Amino acid sequence: MGGALLAAVTIPAAAQVAPLPPPYVGAYQPQGVDEIGWWREDDEAERELAASPLVIRDEKLNAYIKRVLCSTVGEDRCRAVRMYIMREPTFGATMVPNGTMRVFSGLLLRMRSEAELGAVLGHEFGHYEQRHGLKRFKATRSATDVLAWGALLASMAPTYDVRRSYSDLRFSIYGNLFLYSRDNEREADRLGIGYLNNSSLRPHAASEVWQNVMGEIEASARVKGLKKPNFNSIAFTASHPPHAERAATMAALADPAASSRGDGAESYREAMAPWLPIFLEDQIKLNDFGASEYLIQSLAEGGWTAPLWFARGELYRLRGHPRDLVNAAEFYQSAIQLDPALAGAHRGLGLSLLKTARPSDGQAALRKYLELKPEASDAGMIQLMLPKEGTPN
């Protein structure tokens, strides 16, 4: 799919290998009342963020993700970042002017290597280094000032021509603001690739991030019965460039001489392994069957594991179609074969078998679940599904 998508996009003639990052001049310090006020708002938001129950505080995971960032942008730049990993199952990361970076668990689930993660984190750092948030704030304020004065003047002569002119002015200003945002994203993409070109990681992974994003969106739309997305179109209100454009442009900006570098895929899998069941559970709760199935299948390209079979079983069981329950039982059994002590797989197997007219097998699986996890929070409910001794099924 990725090759076809890239072939469908025309790279601008000016596209070439991304230049190396400029010399780092240190963290920007706010100037003037407005900037200082904004920084203080960010500082207050960070204090609230630090106390949020959504923050993942595991020291090992935080140190690892910070190391990937430092490997991408360099130690000097990395020192400016205060990172918070959020248990938020969507694809995303953000960085605000005071140096606070938020990394969503949904992003970590979707990345396949340190190089892919570095591409996204480097992009966010590019926004920070170029002060895009501050520039966008000033541009928006100037634009809304113009609109306010325009509305005032239009109210003084409320004719059709004046109203029409004011409407044209609004569309022009809003359109330019969205265009400005897209251009900022393109600049951050170039900076992100520049960081990777200058690192020890393979920069071509940046393009693969967006190819995978398109694959997930397409899989989600297919299951929902929606038409195939057009990844080349740009909506009037789009704040980001089209996915296909980004994938193709990043492929063109990557240094060809760096194509043989390592991407840290194995070390990334090892670091994510303890968190994979949690992140997959959160993803499945989004109730997006196509996207979740795509992600599980993508993760399984490196080999099926018990947590992946279990997650797939949960995905199918929770959708609950009759055939889904049969498939779910098979997936749980595959998980149990790889890890007989995986209590959740016995639970899911039992619940699936009970709903497919196999009560004896289902009850046996549930008993095994309680044997492995006697203190389970749902132990009482599961006990109600089991006949008392001496009572026929």
Side-chain angles (χ1 to χ4, degrees):
M1 183 201 74
L5 285 168
L6 293 181
V9 178
T10 301
I11 305 297
Q16 55 185 332
V17 173
L20 296 179
Y24 186 56
V25 296
Y28 175 77
Q29 298 302 314
Q31 308 294 319
V33 174
D34 289 341
E35 292 184 14
I36 292 173
W38 191 9
W39 258 248
R40 287 176 178 172
E41 287 185 4
D42 282 346
D43 289 342
E44 181 59 33
E46 184 179 0
R47 279 191 285 272
E48 295 178 4
L49 175 64
S52 170
L54 296 178
V55 173
I56 298 175
R57 307 180 192 281
D58 183 80
E59 292 184 7
K60 186 176 181 180
L61 179 65
N62 277 269
Y64 175 74
I65 302 303
K66 185 70 176 287
R67 181 176 66 78
V68 173
L69 172 65
C70 295
S71 298
T72 303
V73 303
E75 294 291 341
D76 53 346
R77 287 176 164 86
C78 192
R79 283 192 288 270
V81 180
R82 297 182 302 283
M83 181 179 290
Y84 297 86
I85 302 175
M86 311 293 296
R87 190 170 174 181
E88 161 56 53
T90 54
F91 176 98
T94 64
M95 190 166 182
V96 296
N98 78 335
T100 304
M101 177 179 282
R102 295 165 174 83
V103 180
F104 294 172
S105 59
L107 172 68
L108 301 182
L109 175 64
R110 287 162 172 81
M111 298 298 97
R112 298 293 169 264
S113 66
E114 293 179 355
E116 288 191 8
L117 179 60
V120 177
L121 300 184
H123 169 94
E124 294 305 325
F125 190 89
H127 281 309
Y128 168 77
E129 185 163 6
Q130 294 301 308
R131 304 197 294 278
H132 285 159
L134 177 60
K135 293 174 182 177
R136 185 167 58 250
F137 165 74
K138 292 181 177 179
T140 302
R141 185 175 62 181
S142 297
T144 53
D145 286 347
V146 171
L147 286 176
W149 280 109
L152 176 62
L153 295 174
S155 68
M156 296 178 180
T159 65
Y160 172 80
D161 289 339
V162 170
R163 289 197 300 270
R164 178 68 179 271
S165 296
Y166 178 68
S167 178
D168 291 344
L169 175 66
R170 280 193 306 159
F171 277 108
S172 176
I173 287 178
Y174 288 141
N176 276 284
L177 284 175
F178 288 121
L179 175 61
Y180 184 70
S181 177
R182 292 194 294 272
D183 287 343
N184 281 346
E185 294 297 331
R186 292 183 176 105
E187 184 178 21
D189 282 343
R190 289 193 296 272
L191 278 167
I193 289 290
Y195 297 139
L196 279 176
N197 283 342
N198 197 42
S199 75
S200 61
L201 296 170
R202 186 173 63 90
H204 303 75
S207 175
E208 294 160 11
V209 169
W210 293 104
Q211 293 176 49
N212 290 333
V213 167
M214 289 186 284
E216 179 184 340
I217 294 172
E218 195 171 289
S220 176
R222 185 166 54 249
V223 171
K224 293 175 181 176
L226 303 176
K227 68 177 182 180
K228 185 176 180 179
N230 182 352
F231 296 113
N232 293 292
S233 65
I234 304 178
F236 177 78
T237 57
S239 60
H240 290 64
H243 294 330
E245 176 195 315
R246 299 181 80 174
T249 302
M250 289 183 185
L253 294 174
D255 184 358
S259 61
S260 60
R261 290 180 190 166
D263 57 9
E266 183 60 33
S267 56
Y268 188 80
R269 279 194 295 270
E270 291 177 1
M272 291 301 110
W275 295 94
L276 191 60
I278 297 172
F279 295 165
L280 282 170
E281 178 185 359
D282 291 345
Q283 169 63 33
I284 291 169
K285 289 178 180 177
L286 293 178
N287 197 28
D288 188 340
F289 185 93
S292 298
E293 173 75 346
Y294 177 88
L295 290 171
I296 293 170
Q297 293 274 11
S298 178
L299 287 164
E301 289 177 2
W304 282 94
T305 63
L308 289 177
W309 280 122
F310 170 69
R312 199 177 187 199
E314 291 286 274
L315 177 65
Y316 277 72
R317 180 180 66 83
L318 292 173
R319 187 168 69 166
H321 297 168
R323 182 60 191 169
D324 286 341
L325 296 172
V326 175
N327 287 329
E330 294 177 359
F331 300 151
Y332 289 129
Q333 287 168 338
S334 296
I336 292 168
Q337 288 177 356
L338 294 174
D339 184 2
L342 185 57
H346 292 279
R347 177 185 182 275
L349 176 61
L351 295 175
S352 299
L353 293 175
L354 287 179
K355 291 184 178 181
T356 53
R358 295 174 59 185
S360 297
D361 292 338
Q363 289 162 4
L366 292 178
R367 289 192 183 94
K368 183 64 176 179
Y369 166 63
L370 293 177
E371 176 187 325
L372 292 170
K373 200 172 182 180
E375 302 301 323
S377 60
D378 62 349
M381 181 192 73
I382 297 297
Q383 285 286 2
L384 295 175
M385 299 181 185
L386 302 175
K388 296 180 180 179
E389 291 187 17
T391 303
N393 291 344

